[in-house]
Amino acid sequence: MENKVLLAAVFVLLVVLSKLKSLLVTKPKLNLPPGPWSLPVIGNLHHLIGSPNLHRALSRLSQNHGPLMMIRLGEVSSMVVSSPEAAQEVMKTHDIAFADRFTNATIGALTFDGGDIAFAPYGERWRQLRKICVIELLSNARVQSFRHIREEEVARWMESLAASAAAGATVNLSKMISKFINGTIVREAVGSQSKHQDDYLNAIDVALRQTLGLAVSDLFPSSRLMQVLSTAPRKVLAARNMMQSILEQIIKETKDAMERGDGHAGHEGILNVLLRLQKEGTTPIPLTNEVIVTVMFDMFGAGSDTSSTLMNWCMTELVRSPAVMAKAQHEVREAFKGKRTITEDDLKELSYLRLVIKETLRLHPPVPLMLPRKCRETCKVMGYDIPKGTVVFVNAWAIGRNPKYWDDPEEFKPERFENCNLDYKGTNYEFLPFGSGRRICPGINIGLANIDLALASLLYHFDWKLPDGMEPKDIDVREAIGLIASKKTGLIMHPVTRVPPVNP
């Protein structure tokens, strides 16, 4: 009996000593980046109150706490990158360590739990899907094969605008831009207009509206109560299920048409390419219908809103800057003098319009906080310890307005890109509208191709007047809340025909 008591006492003593040791032996303290003061439970959320745009709020905080800043959004530890030097360390020096995407409950519901290309975790599946995307779907040759689609859609749009101008009507140019881009993307993706496209685009709109704010389920992922209370993931999932159903129907109809020999010979749509590759069975990973659905989801979702947002901001800044507008129109009208219709072959004559697009990308990157990354392994960035699992936001909006690298950074001055080697291909870290490294946007070519001819045509065929005596300085330049920084209000303009358009 005494032996049992003694053994029990020794056991208890060993447990107590073990606990004391764990309390007394301090773990090495991490040298984390600086950040604003935090509160229990909510972390740094109180610093974001009153600022509807997260990229602006984080830029303001970074001005006080440095280009590498740690914050806590509820339970989610995050690092904010706001300088070219810090961006280069994350997206080049330690690119492999930050190659994963971060998904929360809402984004997970939208992206098939990270099953698409944009949000898929770094790994062999993602590498192979991206390779297919870059080589087969979005190569220069493939983008050029869609040229006739862009020219036809632009011609149709110019005819519609000419009719509005003849009637003396004002137009919501923002809505028209969105309709044009959506119609073009659908034809490039499917090969023709689809009877399902309005339902699909409406479902996308419903889903994206749920990503506008910070849902409680995303801020407190470990709380079952918050998961139950949050409606955003459920609404997104319902919209995604609708999109999936529509895409499956489009796939079936396209397969049937291909079997009947009704495909679009000579200009395969993106879906036709995927179905051909599926039939050939030569891809490194099987292109099942489920995989094709996720790829098509990215083609529609990533291609439409970003391109329409960029084009909308281009026209907004041109109208707000009459001298720049006059210079851009002069270039276009001198280059195409005497022509009733312009084509993509003519665009090589333009140089100043390229500067306008670059300057718009600097001031208004469509995704101002690049799609968030996640630290895959603990590493050091600029001398600071970054723990595994940290969410990383690269603030492209703040970097593009950094006064250390840009003179008069808030001014719209396309001339700043003259005689300048800065490009948006991801190697100049002071200018990152499309990201950099392994996760750079693969759709740069098609995104810009979809706006080039349309923007040149808007300036060639029409002058643009503001309604009701409105002045350029009165134009609303507030941004909508969400992942994509679109213009909050529509750009209402009065088109005046200068060169009547004619269908080619």
Side-chain angles (χ1 to χ4, degrees), residues 107-293:
I107 296 298
L110 179 62
T111 63
F112 303 87
D113 295 320
D116 67 333
I117 301 173
F119 282 91
Y122 180 72
E124 187 62 21
R125 179 182 181 275
W126 172 81
R127 282 193 293 269
Q128 295 301 336
L129 279 178
R130 181 182 171 87
K131 185 177 180 181
I132 292 169
C133 182
V134 171
I135 295 176
E136 297 285 355
L137 307 182
L138 299 175
S139 66
N140 283 329
R142 185 69 60 194
V143 171
Q144 285 305 306
S145 76
F146 300 143
R147 166 183 161 169
H148 72 286
I149 292 175
R150 294 188 290 270
E151 290 178 347
E152 289 170 8
E153 291 297 315
V154 168
R156 185 179 296 114
W157 185 18
M158 295 305 107
E159 286 289 322
S160 174
L161 276 170
S164 296
T170 57
V171 298
N172 187 328
L173 193 57
S174 299
K175 285 188 176 180
M176 297 187 86
I177 288 171
S178 181
K179 183 178 179 180
F180 159 74
I181 292 292
N182 287 338
T184 301
I185 288 286
V186 167
R187 288 190 62 190
E188 290 170 336
V190 182
S192 63
Q193 294 288 353
S194 170
K195 63 184 179 183
H196 307 289
Q197 70 186 62
D198 288 341
D199 290 336
Y200 187 89
L201 295 170
N202 288 337
I204 283 184
D205 185 58
V206 170
L208 290 178
R209 280 204 303 269
Q210 301 308 312
T211 69
L212 298 184
L214 298 171
V216 293
S217 58
D218 302 333
L219 299 173
F220 302 97
S222 69
S223 171
R224 291 185 179 181
L225 177 61
M226 295 304 182
Q227 305 306 309
V228 171
L229 292 176
S230 182
T231 61
R234 293 195 294 275
K235 291 180 179 178
V236 165
L237 183 59
R240 191 204 78 189
N241 288 340
M242 178 177 289
M243 288 185 279
Q244 182 173 355
S245 176
I246 293 171
L247 283 173
E248 288 170 348
Q249 181 63 31
I250 292 174
I251 289 172
K252 181 180 182 302
E253 292 172 359
T254 306
K255 275 187 175 181
D256 292 343
M258 291 173 69
E259 289 175 1
R260 294 194 306 268
D262 295 338
H264 303 275
H267 52 270
E268 290 179 302
I270 289 172
L271 178 56
N272 299 83
V273 176
L274 289 169
L275 292 175
R276 173 173 55 78
L277 293 173
Q278 181 190 61
K279 186 175 182 179
E280 292 171 355
T282 56
T283 53
I285 60 173
L287 282 180
T288 64
N289 280 5
E290 290 74 18
V291 171
I292 291 176
V293 164

Side-chain angles (χ1 to χ4, degrees), residues 4-186:
K4 290 183 179 180
V5 172
L6 181 61
L7 287 173
V10 170
F11 177 75
V12 171
L13 180 62
L14 289 173
V15 172
V16 171
L17 288 174
S18 176
K19 291 292 184 184
L20 286 173
K21 182 180 179 181
S22 65
L23 292 173
L24 293 174
V25 177
T26 57
K27 296 180 181 179
K29 188 175 181 180
L30 294 177
N31 179 31
L32 299 175
W37 63 278
S38 62
L39 290 173
V41 183
I42 68 170
N44 300 113
L45 288 173
H46 57 293
H47 293 288
L48 308 179
I49 295 174
S51 181
N53 302 113
L54 189 57
H55 57 278
R56 290 178 178 269
L58 294 178
S59 176
R60 172 175 48 81
L61 287 173
S62 294
Q63 290 171 12
N64 295 324
H65 300 282
L68 210 63
M69 177 178 70
M70 288 293 287
I71 60 170
R72 186 162 54 84
L73 304 175
E75 296 176 349
V76 182
S77 294
S78 307
M79 179 175 74
V80 182
V81 175
S82 302
S83 77
E85 297 85 358
Q88 183 168 350
E89 287 222 20
V90 167
M91 308 172 86
K92 181 180 180 182
T93 307
H94 300 288
D95 189 28
I96 190 69
F98 296 98
D100 263 350
R101 284 288 187 217
F102 168 74
T103 58
N104 52 35
T106 304
I107 296 298
L110 179 62
T111 63
F112 303 87
D113 295 320
D116 67 333
I117 301 173
F119 282 91
Y122 180 72
E124 187 62 21
R125 179 182 181 275
W126 172 81
R127 282 193 293 269
Q128 295 301 336
L129 279 178
R130 181 182 171 87
K131 185 177 180 181
I132 292 169
C133 182
V134 171
I135 295 176
E136 297 285 355
L137 307 182
L138 299 175
S139 66
N140 283 329
R142 185 69 60 194
V143 171
Q144 285 305 306
S145 76
F146 300 143
R147 166 183 161 169
H148 72 286
I149 292 175
R150 294 188 290 270
E151 290 178 347
E152 289 170 8
E153 291 297 315
V154 168
R156 185 179 296 114
W157 185 18
M158 295 305 107
E159 286 289 322
S160 174
L161 276 170
S164 296
T170 57
V171 298
N172 187 328
L173 193 57
S174 299
K175 285 188 176 180
M176 297 187 86
I177 288 171
S178 181
K179 183 178 179 180
F180 159 74
I181 292 292
N182 287 338
T184 301
I185 288 286
V186 167

Side-chain angles (χ1 to χ4, degrees), residues 242-386:
M242 178 177 289
M243 288 185 279
Q244 182 173 355
S245 176
I246 293 171
L247 283 173
E248 288 170 348
Q249 181 63 31
I250 292 174
I251 289 172
K252 181 180 182 302
E253 292 172 359
T254 306
K255 275 187 175 181
D256 292 343
M258 291 173 69
E259 289 175 1
R260 294 194 306 268
D262 295 338
H264 303 275
H267 52 270
E268 290 179 302
I270 289 172
L271 178 56
N272 299 83
V273 176
L274 289 169
L275 292 175
R276 173 173 55 78
L277 293 173
Q278 181 190 61
K279 186 175 182 179
E280 292 171 355
T282 56
T283 53
I285 60 173
L287 282 180
T288 64
N289 280 5
E290 290 74 18
V291 171
I292 291 176
V293 164
T294 63
V295 174
M296 293 298 292
F297 170 79
D298 276 356
M299 295 298 110
F300 282 118
S304 57
D305 277 0
T306 52
S307 294
S308 59
T309 292
L310 173 57
M311 190 171 176
N312 197 15
W313 281 121
C314 279
M315 286 301 295
T316 298
E317 291 293 355
L318 284 169
V319 174
R320 291 181 72 236
S321 309
V324 177
M325 172 70 90
K327 189 172 180 178
Q329 286 184 317
H330 177 75
E331 178 189 59
V332 171
R333 289 170 182 172
E334 282 298 307
F336 308 145
K337 185 182 295 184
K339 293 187 176 183
R340 296 291 299 275
T341 300
I342 58 177
T343 67
E344 289 195 357
D345 280 340
D346 300 317
L347 298 181
K348 61 181 180 293
E349 302 294 330
L350 306 179
S351 59
Y352 189 69
L353 198 61
R354 297 273 185 271
L355 307 185
V356 168
I357 294 172
K358 278 189 174 182
E359 178 70 342
T360 305
L361 284 167
R362 181 190 69 83
L363 275 176
H364 304 284
V367 186
L369 283 178
M370 296 179 202
L371 298 182
R373 299 188 179 206
K374 186 171 67 173
C375 186
R376 304 172 68 234
E377 55 191 37
T378 299
C379 61
K380 280 187 176 290
V381 176
M382 299 181 75
Y384 294 109
D385 297 312
I386 312 302

